Amino acid sequence: MNLISKPPVLPKKPSLPHRTSIATVCVSGHLLDKLAAIAEAGFDGIEIFENDLLHYPGSRQDIYNICQELGLKIEMYQPFRDLEGAPNPEELKRSLDRLERKFQWMDELHTDLILLCSNCSPSSVSDRERIVSDLRAAAELAAKYNKCIAYEALAWAQHVHTWEYSWELVKEVDHPNLGICFDTFHIFSRQGNINPITEVPAEKIFFVQLADAPILKMDHLSYSRHHRNYPLQGAFPIIPFMEKLIEAGYTGPLSLEIFNDEFRAAPAKRIAQDGFRSLLYLQSELYHGLILPPLPEVERIEYLEFAVDEARIAQLEALFLDMGLKKVGKHRSKNVTVYRQGGVSFIVNAEPESFASAFLLLHDTSVCAMALRVKDIQATIDRAAYLGCPVVPPSKLGEGEERVIAIQAPDDTLIYLVDSDEFWKKDFIFQEEFPTTLSPTAMYAAVDHIAQALDRLSMDRFVLFYKSVFGMMPQQVIELQDPYGMTKSRAMVSPSHTLRFPLNISDEKDTSIGRLVREAAGSVVHHIAFETNDIFETVSSLRKSSSQDRFLRVPQNYYDDLQVRYDLSAEFVAKMKTFNIMYDRDDKGEFLHISTEQFRDRFFFEIVQRVNGYEHFASINAPIRMSIHHERRNLAMKVTTALSPQTTGIVQSAKNLVVVFEPGCESVVDLMADIVGKERSFDPSVKASVLGIPAESAVALLAGADRSEYISINMHCIENRPLDDSPTPESTLCDYEFLFSKTEFFRHDLTRFLSFITGQTKPHEAILRKPRSTFIALTFPDIRTALPNLDILTVGADALELRVDLLREGSGTGTYNPIPSVDYVGKQVMWLRQRTELPIIFTLRSQAEGGRCPNSDEKVTQYFLMKGLQWGCEYIDVELRLSEEIRNHLAQQKGRSRIIASYHDLAGNLKWSSGETLRCYHMARSYGDVVKIVGFATNLAENYELEYFRSSVNASFGHPLLAMNAGQVGQLSRILNPFFTPTTHPLLPMAAAPGQLSAAEINSALNIMGQTPKKTVFTIGNACAIPLSMFWEKCFNELGLPHNYASLDRISEGMIQALTRQVTFGGAIIQPPLTGQPSFISSFTEEAQESGSIDTVFVRTVGNQSVIVGDNSTAKALRTMLTRDFAPSAYADQPVLVVSNSFEETSSAIWALRKLNCGTIYTIGFRVEGILGIEQCNSFESVQKLAHPFTVVSALCSEQAHLINPLLKLIDNHPAPRAGGKGGKVFLDLANGPRRGDPLGVAAASGWKTYGIADIAARTTVQALDVLVGQRVPFDFVRMASGGGLF
C-alpha cells in the first residue's frame, strides 16, 4: 500500500512465566509449513497431532530435527483414544500394544508425554475398578519406556466426561507416570467447577490445553470440533481458571488446542500469530506489569481519515457540510483537507501514491485510518509491537512535518497515535477563524462509536486485537435481523468509553453487511456516530443549514409501538416522530439516535445522545434502519434502470451492418445478408439492414457517420493483398475485420462471427454456467501444424488460447521476425476459427510474465490486442503491467469480447495472503471480465493459501477467477482451480507454462482425490440410434475419466428409476425419449420441461444431495445445428414446415425452432392442439398455398422418406418468404437407417442447407457428454470416433 510495514523490532523475545505451545492441528497446511509458521510466530513448543505425523512423508527423526532447527520443543504427542474400560482383555491388549508402539515413536520424536483421551466407544464399560486397572496398566507400560500419560476427560466421552471424575481416577491409580490434562473447553462446556483445581498437586498436572468459545447450546462433539477459539476471544472464564491453576502451583506450558472451521481455512501464519498473541496477552493479564507495557490511556478519537479521489471530493464535502462539518484547513504539502465540528475532526485524503490512494483502489471511498490521542505514544507502540502488530512509520514527510507513527489493524487500516495538538500545528494550515452557526449544545461532543463491517473470518481477529492492544472489552453477540438474512454484531468498548467499535459480520451476501463487504472488497467502516448533548437541537440546526435533509424517515408504525413498549408520553413520542429520532432504554439510561442515508452504498452517519449512562447501541432498532436503507437502495436502482439507456443483446443485435468489401468480393455482402436474414443494399441512400460499401468509398462514407447506429465490418480477402502492419483508414474506421479466402471459405465460420459480434450468441455465459471449465493453450509456431489434430487436441476444452507471442513467422533469410506481422497473425486466427467452434483467447504474453513478447513497446501490444478485438476473438488477455490508459482503452473498445485481466509472477514473489495480491485482484476486477492471477509455488502451503484466497474473494465478490501456482509444486492448484484452467496436451510442441497439465491428467488427479468418483454411463434403448461402447471408451480414455459404459435394451421406467438409485449411476441416454415428467426425476432443464421429452438423465450435486435431472440433448443439438449456417435472427418470423406421423417425433425440433422465434409452424401428418402458432396442412391445396418455408423438418420413418422428394419440388416453386430472399434454406431429416430415395440429395441440389440424422446424432452426443461428464467434446471428434456414422 505504498507504505513500508515493518515487523516489530523487539529487544528480545518476551520472557514468559509459562512456555507457549500449540497443537499442530490448529494450523492449516502441510506439517512443515505448520511448524515454520508456529516457530515464526514465537511459540516455544508444539503438540504433535497424530494425523500430521501420519501424513508426513519423512521419518519421525526428521520431524524432531526440523523442530530443533526451528527452536521448537515437542511437548506432547496426541491423541491416544479408547483405552480404559475395555470390554474384554483382548481389546485391552490390542490397545496396550498400540500404546507401546506410540512410546517407541515418541523416542524418535524425543518427547516423553502422550495425551490419553477418555474412552468414547459405546462398547466400553463403566466399571470403575476396570477403568482404574486399565489406566494402571497403561501407566506401568509408560514407566517401562520412561514416558508419562496425561489423562484428559472429553466432554462427550462415554463414562469419564468431567475433570473431577478423571482426577479421582488418577488419584486412585496413584502412579507417578499418570497425571491429569486440563482442557478448558471440556471443563467449561460442561459448566465445570474450577474451585477444586487448587487442591490438585502441581506435580500431577501434566499438561494444560487452553481453548475459549462462545456460549452455545449444542452437542458437545460438534461444539468442540467447530466453535473453539483462542483464549479471551470467547466467553469462557479463562482468567479465573488460570488464577486457580497458578494457585495450585502449576508452572508448566500453556498450549492451544483449537478446532475451528474458519481457522482451518485461514493462512497458517495468520492463525499462528493470533494464537501466540492470545497467550502473550493472557499471561500479561495474569502477571500484571511483568510482561507487556501498560494498556494505553486513550483520551479520544482525534480524527478519522477518508480516502477519496478528485471525482468524489465534491460529493463527500457536500455530505460533510450538510452534517455541520466545515472545511477548516489544508495540509502543507499534500492534497489533504481538514473538516471539523465541535469534537469531531475528519481528514479527506486525495493525495496520489499514498496509503489512502492504495486503500481507495481496493475499497473505494471510505475511512482508511483513524488517529487516537493517547497519554504515552511510545508505550502504546511498544505494547503493539510486542503483541506482533506491524508498526508503520510515516512516508513522504515534508520539511518540518510531524513524524506520526501508526499501528496496522487486522484489516490493514492504520491507527495513528498522537499525544497533543502539535502535529496539527506542524502539518496543517488552518483558517484563523471559521464560522459556526451551531450553539454549544447542538455541537458534536465527540465520535461516539465507529461500526465496522467485517468479512466473516475477521471477527475473532479484531476482538483479540482491540482487547490485547487497547484493553477494550467485548459485549455479548447480538443477532440482527436484516431483510435479507442474519447479521451478528459484537461491540468492543474501552473501560473509559472513549472507544466504542461495534463489529458486524454476516454470512449472507445480500444483507447490508454482506453486500458492503463484498462490494468494498473487504472490511470497512459501516457507520460513524456523533455524540451530542441535545439531539433535538442538533438535528433542528442541521436541517436549517443543510442543502438537503439527509436523515431517514421512520415509519409511523414504529412510533405507535414505541409509546406502548416504553410507556412514554404522547408528547415526547410525537416530538421524536417530528424529527425521525429513534429511542431505546437499558437498565441505566436512555438512548436517542437518528441515521442518515448511505453515501454511495458505503457508510452513513448517526447522531446519538446517551442519557444517564446508557451503554449499548439500540440494536433493537437496527432492523428498521436496515430495512429503510434497503428500500431506498432498491428504489434508487429502479429509478436508475428506468432512466438508463438499455444495452441488452436484443437491442444491439438489431443494429444495421455496414460491410466494407474489396474489389471482386461483392458476393460477401449477399452472403452476410443471407446469414443474418436481412435485406441488403449497395446504395447508401436506400435504407437496408445490410449495406455494402466498396473499400475505396469507405473512408468518405464512414468518417463522419454516427458509429453508434451500426456495426461496421471490414471484409478482407487474403488473396487480394496482405494486411498492413500499420493501421489502414478503412480498418481503423471499422468496428470489426473478417479475413477469408476465396479458395477455402467456410460459411459457418462467418455465421459464428456474425452471431457473436451482434450478441446473438454468448459463449462466455455458457462457460460461466459450468462447474468446471478449461482451455487449451496452443504453442505451435504456425497454427496450420495443429489443424489436422485439432479435434483431438481440444477434447475436454471449453476454449483455446492462441499464444501470439509464440508464433514464428519466417523472415525469408532463414531467421524469424521478432514480432510476427499482422497479416501472419490474422491468418492464424482465420485458420483456427475455420477448424474449431471453440471460443478463441487471443494472448500476447510478455517476457516479464513468462512469454516471448518484448516488454519495451506497449503500443505494439495494444495494437495487436485491438486487432484481436477487431477479429472477433471471444477473449483477449490483457496484462496488468500495461498502463492504465491502455487497459481502459481496451475495456472501452472490447465490444462483445471479454477481457481476461492477467497477472503472472513466475519469480515466486507473489504471496496469496498479502495485501498486494488483493490489490492486484481488485485492479484486475475493475476492467477484466475474468481475473487471472498466477504465482509460483515452492511449497504446498502456498497452494493452501491460494485456496483460502480463492474462497475468500469468491464468497465476497463472485467475480470469475482463474488463480493458480505455476511449477511442479503448484500443480495441485491447477487441479483445484474450477474456472478456465489452462491445459496442455501431449501433441503440443511444449507446455505454455511450467507445471501445466493436460485435461486428462487433471481429471485423473481429481479421481484420485475423490472429486471425480468412478461412475457408469448408460445408453438405454435402440442401440442403432446411439454411439457404441468403443466410442464411449475412447472418449473416457481421451478425457482421463475413470467411468464405465453400459448399453441396455429398452427397459421400463421403474427399472430406469432403480438404476438412478445406484451409487455408481453416472447418467443415461434414452432412446426413444421419455415423455412427460417421470416422478423419479427431481428436476428438469428448460429444454426437457418445455419440449415434454427427456432423452438424457444425469446427476447433479446440490449441497450434500445428489439430484436426478432430466434433459433433452436432442433439442439443444438441433438448435445448435440450425444456427450453424444461419444466425438466430434469420429464423425470426419465418414460416416452418414439419412433416411427421406424430408430434412426439418432432417435439425437440419444434422447441428449437420456437426458441429461434420462428413464425408459424405448419404441420403435415399430425395435429397439435392448444399451442398458438402451429397450424395443420390437411389437404394438398393447403400445402400449395403455403409461402416458401424457411425450414423443413422431416421425421418420417426411413420407409416413408421418399415422400419428401415431391414435397420439396413443390415447395421450390413457392414464393420466397421475404423480398429479396432466395428459395431453399434449411432442411432437417430426422429419419434413421437405410431409406428409399435421397431426400438430403434432392434438397441440397435445390440449394437447401441439409442436416441428416448422423450430424444431428453427433451433435446430440456432444450435448449429452457435456452434461453427463461435464466435458466438452468437439463435434468432429464425435464423428471421427464413432466411425463417421451411427448406423
Side-chain angles (χ1 to χ4, degrees):
M1 289 194 174
N2 296 323
L3 277 177
I4 301 170
S5 178
K6 65 176 183 179
V9 180
L10 305 180
K12 60 179 181 177
K13 182 179 176 180
S15 178
L16 302 176
H18 298 272
R19 295 194 310 277
T20 56
S21 172
I22 185 171
T24 56
V25 71
C26 302
V27 183
S28 63
H30 186 271
L31 179 59
L32 295 186
D33 302 313
K34 293 183 180 194
L35 295 177
I38 290 168
E40 185 179 332
F43 284 93
D44 301 306
I46 59 165
E47 301 173 47
I48 188 83
F49 195 70
E50 186 167 73
N51 282 354
D52 287 319
L53 176 69
L54 298 180
H55 296 167
Y56 179 66
S59 69
R60 291 176 285 276
Q61 183 66 41
D62 289 342
I63 295 175
Y64 169 73
N65 292 338
I66 292 167
C67 288
Q68 284 292 100
E69 291 175 9
L70 294 172
L72 294 173
K73 178 184 178 183
I74 302 178
E75 302 279 4
M76 184 167 70
Y77 181 92
Q78 67 122 322
F80 192 87
R81 303 182 188 278
D82 300 338
L83 184 143
E84 84 285 12
N88 53 63
E90 293 78 12
E91 186 69 28
L92 176 62
K93 184 179 183 304
R94 280 194 292 270
S95 294
L96 291 174
D97 288 344
R98 268 194 309 124
L99 183 61
E100 186 171 20
R101 176 62 60 87
K102 305 303 180 188
F103 288 153
Q104 294 166 358
W105 289 6
M106 290 164 64
D107 282 338
E108 299 176 65
L109 294 168
H110 297 260
T111 187
D112 57 7
L113 184 63
I114 190 170
L115 179 70
L116 173 62
C117 302
S118 56
N119 204 322
C120 298
S121 172
S123 63
S124 62
V125 298
S126 61
D127 183 87
R128 180 164 177 155
E129 289 186 8
R130 179 90 59 88
I131 292 174
V132 170
S133 174
D134 293 350
L135 289 173
R136 184 173 289 114
E140 289 290 347
L141 183 61
K144 176 182 174 182
Y145 284 91
N146 197 27
K147 300 289 183 283
C148 291
I149 299 172
Y151 185 48
E152 175 185 54
L154 299 182
W156 57 89
Q158 198 71 17
H159 309 294
V160 183
H161 44 67
T162 65
W163 80 264
E164 293 94 338
Y165 189 24
S166 68
W167 170 234
E168 288 177 16
L169 295 171
V170 170
K171 283 194 298 183
E172 193 167 340
V173 172
D174 191 21
H175 195 289
N177 293 76
L178 179 69
I180 190 170
C181 173
F182 285 123
D183 184 312
T184 55
F185 177 84
H186 298 302
I187 294 173
F188 293 124
S189 65
R190 281 195 169 270
Q191 294 83 46
N193 181 10
I194 59 175
N195 290 322
I197 288 177
T198 58
E199 301 170 9
V200 180
E203 65 272 13
K204 298 302 286 183
I205 305 174
F206 280 11
F207 207 70
V208 173
Q209 293 176 325
L210 298 176
D212 210 336
I215 302 300
L216 301 173
K217 292 183 179 180
M218 60 191 307
D219 69 278
H220 292 96
L221 181 59
S222 298
Y223 192 5
S224 173
R225 287 289 179 263
H226 303 288
H227 299 286
R228 294 190 184 204
N229 47 27
Y230 287 137
L232 308 181
Q233 286 184 326
F236 288 167
I238 302 295
I239 288 181
F241 164 81
M242 284 299 306
E243 290 171 343
K244 298 295 181 185
L245 198 68
I246 293 169
E247 188 178 342
Y250 180 74
T251 58
L254 300 179
S255 190
L256 301 173
E257 188 188 44
I258 310 298
F259 301 95
N260 185 298
D261 297 337
E262 295 174 356
F263 285 19
R264 282 189 285 265
K269 289 182 180 179
R270 196 184 92 176
I271 294 305
Q273 288 168 353
D274 281 354
F276 184 75
R277 183 180 297 157
S278 72
L279 287 180
L280 185 60
Y281 175 51
L282 174 64
Q283 295 196 54
S284 74
E285 290 295 289
L286 294 168
Y287 302 92
H288 300 285
L290 300 179
I291 297 171
L292 292 176
L295 286 167
E297 294 182 49
V298 180
E299 297 181 4
R300 65 171 181 256
I301 296 174
E302 189 71 21
Y303 67 79
L304 295 178
E305 181 176 335
F306 290 78
V308 67
D309 56 14
E310 291 289 349
R312 304 287 182 215
I313 284 182
Q315 295 180 35
L316 192 62
E317 182 179 79
L319 173 61
F320 287 175
L321 293 176
D322 286 341
M323 294 304 297
L325 291 109
K326 304 298 182 183
K327 185 190 296 186
V328 298
K330 288 188 68 68
H331 198 278
R332 294 181 183 276
S333 63
K334 301 178 179 67
N335 188 8
V336 176
T337 310
V338 182
Y339 295 80
R340 184 172 290 168
Q341 200 256 78
V344 174
S345 295
F346 285 172
I347 283 180
V348 175
N349 191 335
E351 177 71 8
E353 299 184 16
S354 63
F355 169 79
S357 67
F359 180 93
L360 181 73
L361 183 64
L362 290 177
H363 305 293
D364 202 358
T365 302
S366 189
V367 175
C368 64
M370 74 174 80
L372 303 181
R373 183 173 289 210
V374 297
K375 289 283 188 183
D376 189 334
I377 293 177
Q378 190 58 52
T380 306
I381 291 172
D382 290 345
R383 181 180 179 88
Y386 271 106
L387 287 164
C389 303
V391 175
V392 182
S395 63
K396 296 175 62 177
L397 276 178
E399 184 178 351
E401 293 175 358
E402 185 75 0
R403 182 177 174 82
V404 181
I405 307 292
I407 301 168
Q408 194 171 65
D411 60 351
D412 293 336
T413 56
L414 299 182
I415 301 176
Y416 292 103
L417 302 173
V418 299
D419 58 5
S420 67
D421 289 338
E422 195 64 26
F423 81 97
W424 289 117
K425 299 174 184 177
K426 288 184 177 181
D427 291 8
F428 292 89
I429 301 172
F430 287 94
Q431 302 173 17
E432 292 186 8
E433 293 184 7
F434 53 92
T436 178
T437 58
L438 299 179
S439 66
T441 56
M443 295 181 72
Y444 303 138
V447 173
D448 182 86
H449 64 267
I450 303 169
Q452 294 175 262
L454 309 180
D455 68 75
R456 60 186 181 84
L457 302 180
S458 294
M459 176 74 87
D460 288 338
R461 294 203 80 203
F462 270 94
V463 169
L464 182 59
F465 172 76
Y466 286 136
K467 195 172 184 179
S468 61
V469 178
F470 296 105
M472 301 175 72
M473 298 305 294
Q475 294 185 350
Q476 69 181 67
V477 176
I478 303 293
E479 291 190 343
L480 308 176
Q481 188 62 53
D482 185 281
Y484 295 96
M486 190 66 69
T487 291
K488 293 181 179 179
S489 182
R490 190 178 199 185
M492 302 295 296
V493 181
S494 65
S496 64
H497 295 92
T498 53
L499 300 180
R500 297 185 180 95
F501 298 146
L503 309 176
N504 303 281
I505 60 170
S506 179
D507 290 332
E508 308 298 329
K509 66 177 184 178
D510 291 325
T511 60
S512 295
I513 297 299
R515 178 177 48 78
L516 177 56
V517 171
R518 185 177 74 252
E519 294 179 359
S523 303
V524 289
V525 166
H526 176 244
H527 72 265
I528 302 160
F530 306 133
E531 179 188 354
T532 182
N533 294 319
D534 188 335
I535 191 170
F536 294 103
E537 186 175 351
T538 300
V539 174
S540 177
S541 299
L542 291 177
R543 282 180 173 157
K544 292 175 184 177
S545 61
S546 62
S547 63
Q548 59 177 298
D549 190 347
R550 302 272 187 173
F551 298 112
L552 300 182
R553 298 181 183 276
V554 182
Q556 176 64 45
N557 291 331
Y558 169 79
Y559 295 100
D560 293 342
D561 174 71
L562 192 65
Q563 184 173 355
V564 178
R565 191 189 337 151
Y566 291 115
D567 192 25
L568 300 169
S569 70
E571 293 78 13
F572 184 55
V573 172
K575 185 178 181 181
M576 285 192 290
K577 172 67 180 73
T578 301
F579 285 88
N580 285 295
I581 289 171
M582 304 177 80
Y583 178 89
D584 189 34
R585 177 191 296 170
D586 64 13
D587 56 357
K588 288 188 176 181
E590 299 172 293
F591 187 70
L592 293 93
H593 62 117
I594 186 171
S595 301
T596 70
E597 61 190 13
Q598 291 174 300
F599 178 77
R600 301 187 68 246
D601 276 345
R602 285 295 188 267
F603 57 86
F604 64 93
F605 295 123
E606 191 174 33
I607 300 174
V608 306
Q609 181 181 353
R610 296 178 183 271
V611 181
N612 295 331
Y614 176 94
E615 292 185 346
H616 298 97
F617 300 89
S619 59
I620 193 172
N621 294 330
I624 298 172
R625 184 252 304 150
M626 289 188 287
S627 179
I628 299 171
H629 274 148
H630 278 298
E631 288 177 6
R632 291 177 68 93
R633 181 174 183 271
N634 293 339
L635 178 61
M637 291 176 64
K638 289 178 181 178
V639 172
T640 302
T641 302
L643 296 179
S644 299
Q646 299 299 304
T647 57
T648 65
I650 295 173
V651 172
Q652 294 204 14
S653 66
K655 284 184 176 182
N656 294 335
L657 299 180
V658 174
V659 184
V660 177
F661 61 89
E662 296 171 349
C665 298
E666 297 86 349
S667 60
V668 298
V669 181
D670 291 324
L671 180 61
M672 295 174 77
D674 189 48
I675 288 172
V676 298
K678 304 293 183 182
E679 70 280 3
R680 66 103 180 102
S681 173
F682 292 96
D683 183 355
S685 64
V686 176
K687 187 176 182 180
S689 297
V690 180
L691 175 64
I693 298 177
E696 59 269 20
S697 306
V699 176
L701 291 171
L702 295 178
D706 183 0
R707 297 179 66 170
S708 66
E709 298 295 324
Y710 59 84
I711 297 173
S712 53
I713 307 166
N714 181 41
M715 299 293 291
H716 174 70
C717 178
I718 63 173
E719 284 84 16
N720 286 355
R721 59 176 176 81
L723 285 174
D724 293 329
D725 279 331
S726 57
T728 60
E730 61 269 22
S731 174
T732 304
L733 288 170
C734 287
D735 301 307
Y736 293 97
E737 188 169 62
F738 186 84
L739 276 64
F740 65 96
S741 169
K742 290 180 179 177
T743 57
E744 192 176 23
F745 189 75
F746 291 79
R747 176 186 174 117
H748 58 258
D749 173 26
L750 181 57
T751 302
R752 181 179 136 201
F753 173 81
L754 291 173
S755 298
F756 173 66
I757 67 171
T758 57
Q760 299 182 64
T761 56
K762 299 175 181 178
H764 182 61
E765 293 184 6
I767 291 172
L768 288 177
R769 288 193 292 269
K770 299 193 66 172
R772 296 191 69 88
S773 55
T774 66
F775 66 82
I776 184 165
L778 300 181
T779 56
F780 292 95
D782 188 330
I783 211 66
R784 285 173 291 187
T785 312
L787 299 182
N789 295 316
L790 202 57
D791 55 345
I792 297 174
L793 285 168
T794 54
V795 170
D798 298 288
L800 49 80
E801 182 181 42
L802 177 62
R803 283 290 298 270
V804 177
D805 59 299
L806 299 181
L807 295 176
R808 286 292 174 264
E809 180 186 19
S811 63
T813 60
T815 60
Y816 296 103
N817 294 325
I819 300 176
S821 67
V822 172
D823 183 70
Y824 185 78
V825 176
K827 288 175 180 175
Q828 301 283 311
V829 173
M830 178 192 75
W831 290 321
L832 195 55
R833 186 185 278 123
Q834 288 176 352
R835 298 307 201 284
T836 183
E837 297 176 342
L838 294 178
I840 296 173
I841 304 170
F842 189 90
T843 299
L844 199 68
R845 183 71 62 235
S846 68
Q847 291 173 347
E849 303 207 5
R852 291 182 180 171
C853 181
N855 303 324
S856 55
D857 195 346
E858 291 189 349
K859 291 298 181 183
V860 172
T861 301
Q862 180 183 12
Y863 179 57
F864 270 104
L865 292 175
M866 280 299 300
K867 296 305 291 186
L869 293 175
Q870 273 197 312
W871 293 331
C873 293
E874 287 81 358
Y875 296 90
I876 64 167
D877 186 298
V878 180
E879 294 177 352
L880 217 59
R881 69 172 187 86
L882 295 174
S883 68
E884 184 176 1
E885 178 186 359
I886 291 176
R887 297 197 311 266
N888 290 338
H889 178 257
L890 291 168
Q892 292 166 4
Q893 300 297 319
K894 68 180 182 179
R896 293 289 176 179
S897 299
R898 294 290 183 263
I899 289 180
I900 299 176
S902 65
Y903 176 75
H904 302 72
D905 175 21
L906 302 185
N909 296 321
L910 181 144
K911 301 299 178 187
W912 294 101
S913 58
S914 73
E916 178 64 22
T917 304
L918 191 62
R919 186 188 70 83
C920 288
Y921 171 82
H922 289 298
M923 184 185 296
R925 191 169 69 97
S926 67
Y927 73 90
D929 303 283
V930 175
V931 174
K932 180 183 181 185
I933 303 178
V934 180
F936 193 94
T938 56
N939 58 68
L940 282 175
E942 289 171 324
N943 294 320
Y944 304 138
E945 289 182 359
L946 186 158
E947 292 310 310
Y948 174 74
F949 173 85
R950 189 198 315 279
S951 64
S952 297
V953 298
N954 283 348
S956 298
F957 313 109
H959 201 81
L961 172 66
L962 190 175
M964 304 176 310
N965 284 319
Q968 187 172 3
V969 178
Q971 288 180 328
L972 176 62
S973 68
R974 294 181 181 272
I975 296 165
L976 297 177
N977 179 68
F979 178 74
F980 240 18
T981 305
T983 62
T984 186
H985 194 280
L987 295 178
L988 291 176
M990 64 177 181
Q996 206 167 69
L997 299 169
S998 68
E1001 288 172 324
I1002 290 174
N1003 288 330
S1004 297
L1006 288 170
N1007 171 238
I1008 293 171
M1009 296 167 65
Q1011 301 301 301
T1012 305
K1014 189 174 184 178
K1015 300 288 185 180
T1016 300
V1017 175
F1018 297 89
T1019 56
I1020 301 172
N1022 181 4
C1024 293
I1026 49 183
L1028 303 178
S1029 60
M1030 290 183 63
F1031 162 75
W1032 285 92
E1033 289 170 6
K1034 185 173 180 63
C1035 282
F1036 292 156
N1037 288 337
E1038 196 66 36
L1039 290 165
L1041 293 170
H1043 306 323
N1044 291 328
Y1045 164 81
S1047 177
L1048 302 174
D1049 292 334
R1050 183 64 176 184
I1051 56 179
S1052 67
E1053 285 191 14
M1055 295 178 69
I1056 296 175
Q1057 181 177 4
L1059 274 182
T1060 63
R1061 291 175 177 171
Q1062 295 180 6
V1063 175
T1064 58
F1065 178 73
I1069 297 175
I1070 304 170
Q1071 289 291 345
L1074 302 173
T1075 57
Q1077 295 187 356
S1079 59
F1080 68 88
I1081 298 178
S1082 308
S1083 179
F1084 301 88
T1085 64
E1086 176 190 2
E1087 292 81 2
Q1089 190 161 4
E1090 294 182 2
S1091 68
S1093 177
I1094 301 162
D1095 62 12
T1096 310
V1097 176
F1098 62 95
V1099 183
R1100 277 289 173 268
T1101 301
V1102 180
N1104 295 322
Q1105 292 187 330
S1106 293
V1107 176
I1108 304 298
V1109 183
D1111 193 16
N1112 188 335
S1113 296
T1114 304
K1116 295 177 180 177
L1118 286 168
R1119 190 186 186 285
T1120 303
M1121 187 64 76
L1122 289 167
T1123 53
R1124 184 173 172 81
D1125 292 293
F1126 291 94
S1129 59
Y1131 290 88
D1133 301 323
Q1134 295 280 30
V1136 172
L1137 180 62
V1138 180
V1139 185
S1140 177
N1141 291 315
S1142 69
F1143 170 74
E1144 287 72 22
E1145 293 174 337
T1146 60
S1147 61
S1148 297
I1150 290 175
W1151 176 89
L1153 287 161
R1154 288 172 71 88
K1155 279 296 174 183
L1156 292 171
N1157 298 317
C1158 69
T1160 303
I1161 298 175
Y1162 298 96
T1163 66
I1164 297 177
F1166 68 99
R1167 176 190 295 273
V1168 180
E1169 301 288 351
I1171 301 180
L1172 294 175
I1174 301 181
E1175 299 179 12
Q1176 184 184 21
C1177 296
N1178 52 16
S1179 66
F1180 180 76
E1181 290 76 15
S1182 60
V1183 176
Q1184 281 187 313
K1185 294 178 181 178
L1186 286 179
H1188 191 294
F1190 187 85
T1191 307
V1192 174
V1193 180
S1194 170
L1196 295 177
C1197 62
S1198 56
E1199 293 80 6
Q1200 297 175 315
H1202 66 283
L1203 301 176
I1204 294 296
N1205 296 355
L1207 179 63
L1208 289 173
K1209 292 178 180 178
L1210 175 64
I1211 290 171
D1212 277 339
N1213 296 320
H1214 290 191
R1218 282 189 180 138
K1222 298 179 180 178
K1225 292 296 179 184
V1226 178
F1227 176 71
L1228 287 178
D1229 186 3
L1230 305 182
N1232 186 37
R1235 69 201 70 194
R1236 293 168 56 193
D1238 183 14
L1240 289 174
V1242 172
S1246 301
W1248 294 79
K1249 295 295 177 185
T1250 60
Y1251 308 108
I1253 187 61
D1255 283 339
I1256 296 168
R1259 287 280 173 194
T1260 301
T1261 304
V1262 171
Q1263 298 292 339
L1265 274 165
D1266 201 10
V1267 296
L1268 289 172
V1269 299
Q1271 306 282 325
R1272 183 166 178 170
V1273 178
F1275 170 79
D1276 290 337
F1277 178 85
V1278 173
R1279 291 302 308 271
M1280 178 273 294
S1282 59
L1286 302 176
F1287 47 84

